[in-house]
């Protein structure tokens, strides 16, 4: 594209009228903002965007239980392997003899997500065959050192809560 | 028994004679000059450094408001303690010197930026007089030349910083600074010549006193005989105003106003403010000359820039905007209350001009440096020289 550079006439070449116009515009904004009108920024800790976060928002990854209170995770470790920054650590464990969900066979003994490493890509959620891991809307993950940035299993279930439906294969046949 | 006898009982005779000698020295002409100067310097330095940190705060708040934001408003009420927090942060940081930098010049540069603007303030009449003591720290007969000479030194600080950092962006900043200096310094000095031609003195005190009598140089229509008492007699006041609005005043107002505009714009360049902040240029040079500095080294550059703004504003006010004077307000010889009023007036003018500097910074885009050199050499230089001849012609016609 060729930009049309037209010759400026003499008032335009003086620049002063344009400078005064510019000063008038900034003054208008200054005056408006001084009385608190027209401020377009958000005062973060007091005001948050939370209510307007979209459904597909990718926040911190969490683990969920189903409607029976069963841990959805079966320790297949797919998320551990696909995680690009290797933030997830899983140690599988056999489900004990007397447990009503014995047929599921495995559950995680340890399920840690290092939030200092997590990149919120959502691959863990996508790869999970049991729909056990979901990225929720928590975005403010804080800690005073690296150990506090690791989310353990309890914390993950506490954040994730219950997700009903979706996976029915472990339910009793009717 | 008088008071001094009562006090003398608490000291041994030798100590008492020593104390009397010290007190005598304090009241002797030379001793009086020394201690009043020290007190004035300390108070002025305190006021100016306080003003500097709050100029930084004002810059951040005003720029935010102009851009529909709020700016720092967390530390203290409306963020008023923000400068304290910033200073603490900068003090606690590591003062890092890059391995490839030239240590001596790298450390010298920030001091060269900070010291000259403070030195400039020594000759600025920030007030008339207080208890019979003139407020100007040093009433030099070459005051205006001193201001021009000293304030130019800080450019060397910037060039040295750019060069000694041994890094490409600071180096570009330093080069730009020197190209900028040779473009505006001429018009900065030449624009003042008409003022000196009119007043016939380089002493800043004399210049301010001339403005007290004849009105501010930017608008010199103040009649000589105008006082409070004249205001009560409408006819007298009207006559005085008519005397002020004479053809003579209009004629020499023209070169003076051109001088004012040239000096104001050159001062923007001198203090490295937008639209002339080429050496710094955050967006293209990542801070330019101070890219490699951290901690107090950076803080000195930062404070130096704002102190230079205050010194520049003081120079503009002293030369063109009437210094400490305000119409109808008497000077310090009419009582210490008026002396204080004069000082407050001066600093109120400084604050107003600083706000104007900030306002302009957040309005105008930056010049390219060939544009700046063109502006300096093709336009301002010629205009300043023509203006000198214009002033000469007007003054010959008037006398």
């Amino acid at each position: 594209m060729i930009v049309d550079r037209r010759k400026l006439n003499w008032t335009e070449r003086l620049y002063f009228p344009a400078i005064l116009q510019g000063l008038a515009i900034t003054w208008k904004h200054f005056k408006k903002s001084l009385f608190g009108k027209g401020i377009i920024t958000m005062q973060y800790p007091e005001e948050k965007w939370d209510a307007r976060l979209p459904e597909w928002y990718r926040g911190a990854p969490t683990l969920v239980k189903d409607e029976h209170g069963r841990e959805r995770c079966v320790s297949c470790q797919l998320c551990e392997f696909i995680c690009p920054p290797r933030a997830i650590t899983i140690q599988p464990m056999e489900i004990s003899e007397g447990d009503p969900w014995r047929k599921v066979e495995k559950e995680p003994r340890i399920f840690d997500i290092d939030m200092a490493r997590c990149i919120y890509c959502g691959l863990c959620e996508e790869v999970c065959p049991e729909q056990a891991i979901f990225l929720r809307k928590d975005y403010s993950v804080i800690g005073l050192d690296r150990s506090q940035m690791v989310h353990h299993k309890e914390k993950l279930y506490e954040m994730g809560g219950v997700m009903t439906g979706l996976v029915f294969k472990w339910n009793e046949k009717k | 028994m008088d008071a001094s006898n009562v006090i003398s009982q608490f000291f041994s005779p030798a100590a008492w004679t020593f104390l009397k000698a010290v007190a005598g020295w304090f009241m002797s002409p030379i001793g009086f000059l020394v201690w009043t100067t020290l007190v004035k310097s300390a108070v002025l330095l305190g006021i100016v450094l306080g003003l500097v940190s709050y100029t930084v705060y004002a810059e951040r708040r005003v720029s935010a408001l102009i851009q529909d934001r709020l700016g720092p408003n967390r530390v203290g009420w409306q963020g008023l303690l923000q400068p304290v927090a910033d200073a603490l942060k900068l003090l606690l940081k590591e003062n890092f010197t890059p391995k490839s930098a030239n240590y001596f010049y790298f450390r010298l540069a920030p001091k060269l930026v900070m010291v000259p603007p403070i030195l400039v303030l020594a000759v600025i009449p920030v007030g008339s007089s207080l208890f019979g003591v003139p407020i100007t720290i040093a009433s030099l007969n070459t005051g205006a030349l001193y201001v021009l000479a000293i304030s130019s030194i800080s450019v060397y600080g910037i060039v040295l910083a750019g060069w000694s950092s041994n890094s490409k962006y600071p180096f570009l900043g330093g080069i730009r600074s020197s190209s900028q200096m040779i473009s505006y310094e001429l018009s900065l000095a030449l624009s003042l010549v008409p003022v000196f031609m009119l007043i016939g003195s380089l002493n800043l005190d004399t210049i301010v006193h001339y403005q007290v009598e004849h009105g501010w140089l930017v608008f010199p229509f103040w009649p000589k005989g105008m006082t409070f008492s004249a205001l009560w007699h409408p006819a007298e006041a009207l006559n005085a105003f008519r005397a002020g609005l004479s053809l003579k005043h209009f004629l020499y107002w023209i070169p003076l106003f051109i001088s004012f505009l040239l000096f104001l714009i050159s001062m923007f360049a001198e203090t490295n403010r937008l639209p002339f902040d080429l050496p710094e240029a955050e967006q293209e040079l990542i801070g330019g000359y101070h890219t490699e500095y951290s901690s107090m080294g950076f803080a000195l550059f930062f404070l130096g820039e704002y102190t230079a703004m205050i010194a520049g504003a003081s120079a503009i006010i002293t030369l063109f905007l009437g210094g400490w004077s305000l119409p109808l307000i008497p000077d310090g010889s009419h009582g210490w209350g008026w002396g204080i009023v004069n000082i407050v007036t001066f600093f109120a003018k400084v604050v107003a001009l600083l706000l104007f500097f900030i306002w302009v910074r957040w309005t105008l885009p930056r010049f390219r440096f060939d544009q700046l050199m063109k502006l300096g050499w093709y336009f301002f230089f010629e205009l300043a020289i023509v203006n000198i001849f214009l002033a000469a012609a007007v003054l010959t016609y008037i006398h």
Side-chain angles (χ1 to χ4, degrees):
Chain A
M1 194 181 84
I2 296 170
V3 180
D4 175 35
R5 302 220 183 268
R6 67 189 177 84
K7 283 259 182 251
L8 302 176
N9 64 30
W10 72 271
T11 46
E12 284 167 327
R13 258 181 298 154
L14 264 180
Y15 290 114
F16 273 109
I19 289 173
L20 291 180
Q21 265 173 16
L23 286 173
I25 289 172
T26 42
W27 175 254
K28 217 168 63 193
H29 280 267
F30 174 74
K31 216 172 57 181
K32 213 168 68 179
S33 309
L34 195 62
F35 298 107
K37 276 180 281 181
I39 302 282
I40 55 168
T41 49
M42 193 174 260
Q43 296 301 297
Y44 169 61
E46 288 89 29
E47 298 172 52
K48 284 181 179 170
W49 194 254
D50 289 11
R52 275 172 275 188
L53 290 179
E55 267 315 298
W56 37 265
Y57 185 81
R58 297 204 310 260
T62 60
L63 291 175
V64 295
K65 295 185 173 176
D66 71 0
E67 56 269 41
H68 309 294
R70 179 180 67 86
E71 293 179 30
R72 280 250 178 103
C73 178
V74 297
S75 285
C76 68
Q77 294 178 293
L78 276 178
C79 51
E80 185 176 1
F81 296 139
I82 202 164
C83 181
R86 300 192 179 180
I88 302 177
T89 314
I90 301 173
Q91 226 181 69
M93 178 178 75
E94 205 176 331
I95 295 179
S96 55
E97 206 57 63
D99 198 288
W101 298 102
R102 168 74 175 141
K103 60 183 173 186
V104 180
E105 292 182 356
K106 279 203 297 180
E107 66 179 6
R109 175 187 287 139
I110 292 176
F111 197 117
D112 287 346
I113 302 183
D114 188 349
M115 294 310 293
R117 287 180 147 243
C118 177
I119 57 169
Y120 304 86
C121 62
L123 285 183
C124 47
E125 175 179 338
E126 220 164 298
V127 82
C128 184
E130 295 288 335
Q131 310 242 26
I133 187 163
F134 285 94
L135 267 64
R136 290 290 173 86
K137 291 181 183 174
D138 311 80
Y139 51 83
S140 159
V141 180
I142 47 169
L144 291 175
D145 55 39
R146 279 161 194 276
S147 65
Q148 289 181 19
M149 293 300 285
V150 178
H151 284 176
H152 297 296
K153 208 172 99 172
E154 299 74 37
K155 170 96 178 178
L156 291 170
Y157 277 118
E158 184 194 314
M159 285 164 74
V162 174
M163 197 76 116
T164 56
L166 300 170
V167 178
F168 303 102
K169 62 183 172 188
W170 302 112
N171 291 357
E172 293 297 329
K173 297 252 164 46
K174 280 184 186 142
Chain B
M1 208 195 276
D2 69 1
S4 73
N5 280 341
V6 175
I7 299 167
S8 71
Q9 287 170 355
F10 295 102
F11 299 97
S12 68
W16 180 242
T17 33
F18 175 71
L19 278 178
K20 265 164 84 174
V22 169
W25 184 79
F26 268 106
M27 292 324 289
S28 72
I30 182 82
F32 186 75
L33 183 70
V34 167
W35 76 259
T36 49
T37 308
L38 285 178
V39 168
K40 282 186 287 190
S41 313
V43 171
L44 184 66
L45 198 62
I47 294 177
V48 167
L49 289 183
L51 199 57
V52 163
S53 48
Y54 278 92
T55 317
V56 178
Y57 168 77
E59 171 112 277
R60 295 174 67 185
R61 287 310 298 264
V62 171
S63 69
L65 289 175
I66 284 176
Q67 296 169 352
D68 293 346
R69 299 181 286 118
L70 278 181
N73 62 349
R74 298 276 159 167
V75 193
W77 183 76
Q78 286 293 313
L80 276 175
L81 293 178
Q82 186 70 40
V84 182
D86 286 345
L88 276 178
K89 186 200 82 170
L90 284 167
L91 277 172
L92 293 174
K93 279 193 158 185
E94 186 193 354
N95 205 354
F96 185 76
T97 312
K99 198 178 157 202
S100 58
N102 183 323
Y103 187 84
F104 177 72
Y105 292 115
F106 188 77
R107 286 281 150 243
L108 178 70
K111 284 99 185 167
L112 267 183
V113 171
M114 183 68 193
V115 172
I118 295 178
L119 289 180
V120 164
L121 290 168
V123 292
I124 303 283
V126 292
S128 49
S129 61
L130 209 55
F131 306 111
V133 183
I135 293 297
T136 322
I137 292 171
S139 180
L140 290 186
N141 279 333
T142 51
L145 283 185
Y146 173 89
V147 170
L148 292 173
I150 299 291
S151 62
S152 308
I153 291 179
S154 47
V155 177
Y156 291 99
I158 293 172
V159 175
L160 268 185
W163 212 328
S164 64
S165 294
N166 208 353
S167 158
K168 51 180 168 291
Y169 287 124
F171 184 60
L172 283 173
I175 288 180
R176 284 184 178 195
S177 185
S178 40
S179 84
Q180 182 173 329
M181 177 181 68
I182 58 169
S183 324
Y184 69 77
E185 285 276 349
L186 279 167
S187 57
L188 184 76
L190 287 176
S191 68
L192 288 184
V193 173
V195 176
F196 305 145
M197 286 162 82
L198 177 69
I199 296 173
S201 168
L202 290 172
N203 189 323
L204 293 178
D205 278 319
T206 318
I207 293 174
V208 171
H209 278 293
Y210 181 91
Q211 296 182 72
V212 172
E213 280 177 29
H214 299 81
W216 304 356
L217 287 189
V218 69
F219 196 72
F221 299 112
W222 191 251
K224 211 169 177 179
M226 206 54 187
T227 50
F228 254 131
S229 54
L231 270 191
W232 297 118
H233 308 288
E236 204 179 316
L238 199 66
N239 274 337
F241 267 114
R242 279 213 191 109
L245 290 170
S246 65
L247 176 70
K248 184 178 127 183
H249 290 166
F250 267 114
L251 277 179
Y252 70 68
W253 178 58
I254 300 166
L256 280 180
F257 196 73
I258 296 173
S259 282
F260 171 67
L261 284 182
L262 284 177
F263 191 71
L264 184 72
I265 296 169
S266 303
M267 216 22 133
F268 273 94
E270 167 94 9
T271 52
N272 288 322
R273 297 288 295 177
L274 257 158
F276 305 113
D277 71 336
L278 303 164
E280 202 174 331
E282 293 96 337
Q283 298 86 349
E284 353 172 342
L285 297 186
I286 326 169
Y289 58 92
H290 59 53
T291 303
E292 301 291 345
Y293 284 86
S294 56
S295 182
M296 281 318 281
F298 171 73
L300 279 181
F301 276 121
F302 208 63
L303 298 182
E305 187 191 326
Y306 285 91
T307 319
M309 261 169 80
I310 291 175
S314 307
I316 293 171
I317 288 163
T318 308
L319 289 166
F320 291 100
L321 298 176
W324 44 259
S325 72
L326 209 60
L328 298 175
I329 301 290
D331 64 13
S333 56
H334 294 81
W336 61 268
W338 292 118
I340 301 267
V341 167
N342 287 151
I343 296 172
V344 171
T345 310
F346 182 84
F347 281 105
K349 284 182 191 177
V350 168
V351 168
L353 207 54
L354 288 177
L355 287 175
F356 177 70
F357 273 48
I358 294 170
W359 181 21
V360 168
R361 173 171 180 185
W362 298 98
T363 302
L364 299 181
R366 182 178 307 124
F367 277 92
R368 227 170 37 217
F369 86 75
D370 62 313
Q371 289 171 331
L372 170 62
M373 293 184 85
K374 210 180 235 176
L375 193 73
W377 283 105
Y378 286 176
F379 190 65
F380 285 166
F381 178 53
E382 274 81 349
L383 195 58
I385 287 185
V386 169
N387 196 28
I388 292 172
F389 284 100
L390 186 66
V394 166
L395 288 176
T396 336
Y397 173 73
I398 288 172
H399 297 301

